Amino acid sequence: MTQTIEQILARWDSGDGKPCKGSLIDWEAYEADPDNMGCMCAQGQVLALAGGWDYAQLRDTEQSEADIATAKLLNISRAHAVLLRQINDKADGAPSIVLTNPGKVMGDQWSKLLDFWWLFHNYSAADWRKVLAAWVAAWDAAGAAARAAAWDAAGAAAGDAAGAAAGDAAGAAAGAAAWAAAWDAAWFAAGAAAWEIQGYSLLIERGHKPFFLPMFGIATPADIPARPADYGNGIVPTGDA
């Protein structure tokens, strides 16, 4: 049974076949009732119903591979696909808001965050090496206290601007995608840079400058290039935080 993304989102919103949590497919639930779409998580339903994956493929696929495949199918960033998975697993309600109303889980800077995630979604190995070089330079130039203060300021600003849960979600999704693509330091930098975007105005108001965002060659959120017009394959998100 093939369905469009719009049909899948509408079903989630209706509560029909509510996605399971914790894995692409709950194999025991599938064997007990193969017709119940609720045996698959949000990513699993997208991959099976819109992407044509069979259930055994869902069972045998590593989560990191599913993140990549979901991102490609939806034409979103890997970090956005990770956020879909995380919200599905950790929050009540329909995970469709991650695609249709990301402001609910990312705060009012959701659009700039999506732009930033798309930026490093397309990074090559050489691009990540530049981030690493900037990371090393900044880390060496700043003392331990300054590094800790930068991290704390970024997290606090994100929490105050978007709410603690929204700040954590955006940072965690960015970090997970970066770590899977590159290395541990990328996880740290991408997550904290996402926080700086979320809380940028508060960061400046409190006398801080972005410490992690410049590692990606970006001075302020205004400098982040826009994601493509066809991002999300026609799903038009809103930002009602």
Side-chain angles (χ1 to χ4, degrees):
M1 176 176 61
T2 300
Q3 294 187 2
T4 66
I5 298 300
E6 289 76 14
Q7 288 174 318
I8 295 171
L9 297 181
R11 195 181 64 256
W12 291 349
D13 288 337
S14 73
D16 180 28
K18 184 178 179 180
C20 74
K21 299 179 182 292
S23 61
L24 289 170
I25 185 168
D26 181 333
W27 195 252
E28 290 185 3
Y30 161 68
E31 291 186 314
D33 185 3
D35 294 326
N36 183 0
M37 295 296 100
C39 68
M40 295 175 285
C41 74
Q43 283 193 357
Q45 291 190 29
V46 168
L47 292 171
L49 300 176
W53 286 34
D54 62 43
Y55 293 151
Q57 187 177 5
L58 293 177
R59 179 194 60 193
D60 298 337
T61 297
E62 294 291 335
Q63 184 59 65
S64 59
E65 296 176 19
D67 291 339
I68 295 170
T70 301
K72 184 175 182 180
L73 188 60
L74 295 176
N75 194 32
I76 60 177
S77 68
R78 185 174 186 163
H80 202 174
V82 170
L83 185 66
L84 175 64
R85 165 166 57 87
Q86 292 177 336
I87 295 302
N88 177 83
D89 289 348
K90 296 179 181 179
D92 294 329
S96 55
I97 60 171
V98 174
L99 301 173
T100 60
N101 190 358
K104 290 285 188 183
V105 291
M106 297 168 71
D108 64 3
Q109 295 304 305
W110 62 270
S111 187
K112 279 300 178 184
L113 280 168
L114 294 185
D115 291 341
F116 175 59
W117 290 355
W118 186 256
L119 174 72
F120 73 76
H121 172 80
N122 294 289
Y123 271 7
S124 65
D127 292 325
W128 281 116
R129 284 195 292 271
K130 290 179 182 178
V131 175
L132 177 58
W135 165 273
V136 171
W139 219 238
D140 288 346
R147 296 195 297 263
W151 172 265
D152 291 344
D160 289 348
D168 288 347
W179 178 84
W183 21 257
D184 290 352
W187 165 84
F188 203 100
W195 285 347
E196 290 177 334
I197 293 167
Q198 286 178 293
Y200 179 74
S201 60
L202 287 174
L203 203 66
I204 298 303
E205 181 181 305
R206 294 169 183 176
H208 298 281
K209 293 182 179 180
F211 178 81
F212 299 95
L213 194 55
M215 296 175 188
F216 295 85
I218 302 295
T220 74
D223 301 323
I224 303 170
R227 60 194 182 278
D230 64 348
Y231 184 91
N233 288 335
I235 298 172
V236 180
T238 63
D240 300 328

